[in-house]
Amino acid sequence: TMKNMLILTGALVILLLAGMLRFGPYVLAIVVVALASSILVEWAFSKIRKKPMGTSWMVTPLVFTLMLPVTAPLWMVAVGSSFGTFFGKALFGGHGKNIFNPAAVGILFLTVSFIREMTQSWFLVHKVEAWFNPGTDYDIDAVSAATPLNHGRVDLADFSMWDLLVGNMPGAIGETFRIGIIALGVALILMKIIDWKIPAAFIGSVFV
């Protein structure tokens, strides 16, 4: 429903703001480009089909943004967002008819095509210039690891449980603020916005 979609969007925006506080204002540029690229594809398909845009037009680019490393250049953001929306959603008929998560389709395409750019993430940024110029010499604390589970690249022993929960470590834009993710996930389950069995199955599979 539209109500559920708005609540879900609000939860994603909270994680986006946390990522912005963590990594800087360049995150805002990323989400603007992701939104514009995705909406353009959805708008074009709605005109071709002569049907209104689906209610999830904002969710896909937000989820896509949260899965990106903050070092992603804007042109790559545009390519991935439009690719995921086009091949993961629009071609299947739009919202509710797609068999794959369109944001995941975009991330997978970028990971296969630009592996180096997709496996970098900032840990700490000491210069404001780096926020708007990712990949330059300013991001001196860039770490070649999307998550701390890439053993050999980032040692879990270097981080306390508090660091893991609040995001004082490398990671994608939306994955580091784990205590917020857990709280929002529980809230969405209690409000019956999401089905508890899906995240339980996913986390259980990773645990096994």
Side-chain angles (χ1 to χ4, degrees):
T1 63
M2 178 61 73
K3 178 183 177 182
N4 289 358
M5 199 62 66
L6 289 174
I7 294 174
L8 178 60
T9 301
L12 295 174
V13 169
I14 291 174
L15 295 179
L16 186 66
L17 291 174
M20 200 175 301
L21 289 173
R22 180 69 185 85
F23 295 111
Y26 183 68
V27 174
L28 179 60
I30 291 178
V31 73
V32 168
V33 172
L35 280 166
S37 304
S38 179
I39 291 172
L40 182 62
V41 173
E42 294 232 31
W43 175 82
F45 267 78
S46 69
K47 289 296 182 181
I48 293 172
R49 292 195 174 101
K50 297 181 180 180
K51 293 182 179 180
M53 289 174 59
T55 57
S56 65
W57 60 269
M58 196 172 184
V59 172
T60 295
L62 288 181
V63 173
F64 173 78
T65 298
L66 293 173
M67 296 170 73
L68 283 171
V70 74
T71 50
L74 295 182
W75 66 264
M76 201 169 79
V77 176
V79 170
S81 182
S82 56
F83 183 95
T85 304
F86 185 90
F87 289 100
K89 183 178 180 180
L91 284 183
F92 290 96
H95 176 61
K97 297 180 181 179
N98 48 296
I99 61 175
F100 304 111
N101 184 302
V105 171
I107 291 294
L108 180 60
F109 173 73
L110 291 182
T111 303
V112 171
S113 304
F114 311 103
I115 183 67
R116 181 179 179 274
E117 289 81 359
M118 289 297 290
T119 54
Q120 289 183 341
S121 62
W122 279 338
F123 181 24
L124 295 173
V125 179
H126 295 298
K127 292 182 179 290
V128 175
E129 295 95 326
W131 290 344
F132 296 98
N133 298 283
T136 66
D137 293 334
Y138 294 117
D139 55 333
I140 56 176
D141 287 327
V143 178
S144 295
T147 73
L149 294 181
N150 280 327
H151 293 295
R153 295 180 178 181
V154 179
D155 190 347
L156 281 174
D158 293 337
F159 305 99
S160 66
M161 181 58 69
W162 180 249
D163 288 331
L164 291 171
L165 288 174
V166 300
N168 291 329
M169 58 187 306
I173 293 172
E175 77 167 316
T176 56
F177 185 44
R178 292 172 180 84
I179 192 170
I181 295 172
I182 294 170
L184 289 170
V186 171
L188 292 173
I189 290 172
L190 293 176
M191 290 187 289
K192 297 183 177 180
I193 304 298
I194 60 176
D195 187 345
W196 68 270
K197 292 188 288 295
I198 296 175
F202 182 85
I203 295 172
S205 300
V206 173
F207 179 79
V208 171

